Amino acid sequence: MSDIPEELHYTKEHEWISGIDDGLTLTIGITAYAAGALGDVVFVQLPEVGSSITAGEAVGEVESTKSVSDIFAPVGGEIVEVNEVVVDDPSLVNSDPYGEGWLFRVRLEGDPEDLLSPEEYTALTSGES
């Protein structure tokens, strides 16, 4: 799948994570696959800056014209930044999911677990319809 960037890590819940190899602050978003499955995103609710999150827990939601989906924390840590631009213009989740459509940044606590490589995520999404 050509729209799965090689430099990112992924989750089974269709979030992407950047910064794993660079340091302690990670950027989180939802994948183009998830954005396409959701349809036109019309609302995004993100966690508050300063809040602590636990890997695997719901930390926000994305609402589209078709459904509402939870955003799950792929890692544990403290929210250090949220993308206010995407709150004001949720369509960026669809039009630029790996760029301007990022959701939040986390100061990592502990080691990330259960993350998928681009190849593993490609295999996961090619098996779904």
Side-chain angles (χ1 to χ4, degrees):
M1 205 175 208
S2 61
D3 60 351
I4 298 177
E6 290 291 319
E7 70 277 8
L8 302 176
H9 290 81
Y10 301 89
T11 69
K12 292 177 183 173
E13 291 78 26
H14 307 289
E15 285 95 15
W16 59 261
I17 303 98
S18 71
I20 293 285
D21 302 322
D22 301 330
L24 297 178
T25 301
L26 310 180
T27 303
I28 314 294
I30 65 169
T31 65
Y33 178 88
L38 283 168
D40 294 334
V41 175
V42 295
F43 177 77
V44 177
Q45 177 190 12
L46 300 175
E48 291 185 26
V49 171
S51 62
S52 291
I53 61 172
T54 302
E57 291 186 357
V59 296
E61 58 185 36
V62 176
E63 182 177 336
S64 72
T65 54
K66 296 197 293 189
S67 68
V68 176
S69 295
D70 286 330
I71 301 167
F72 292 95
V75 297
E78 178 187 348
I79 301 295
V80 295
E81 185 179 359
V82 296
N83 187 353
E84 295 295 343
V85 174
V86 86
V87 172
D88 294 337
D89 184 3
S91 68
L92 288 170
V93 171
N94 297 109
S95 64
D96 193 10
Y98 301 112
E100 293 297 313
W102 65 273
L103 301 178
F104 56 92
R105 293 196 168 113
V106 178
R107 183 176 300 114
L108 180 64
E109 294 173 4
D111 292 325
E113 297 179 13
D114 300 325
L115 299 183
L116 304 176
S117 69
E119 296 77 20
E120 291 168 324
Y121 187 70
T122 299
L124 174 74
T125 57
S126 64
E128 295 183 8
S129 53

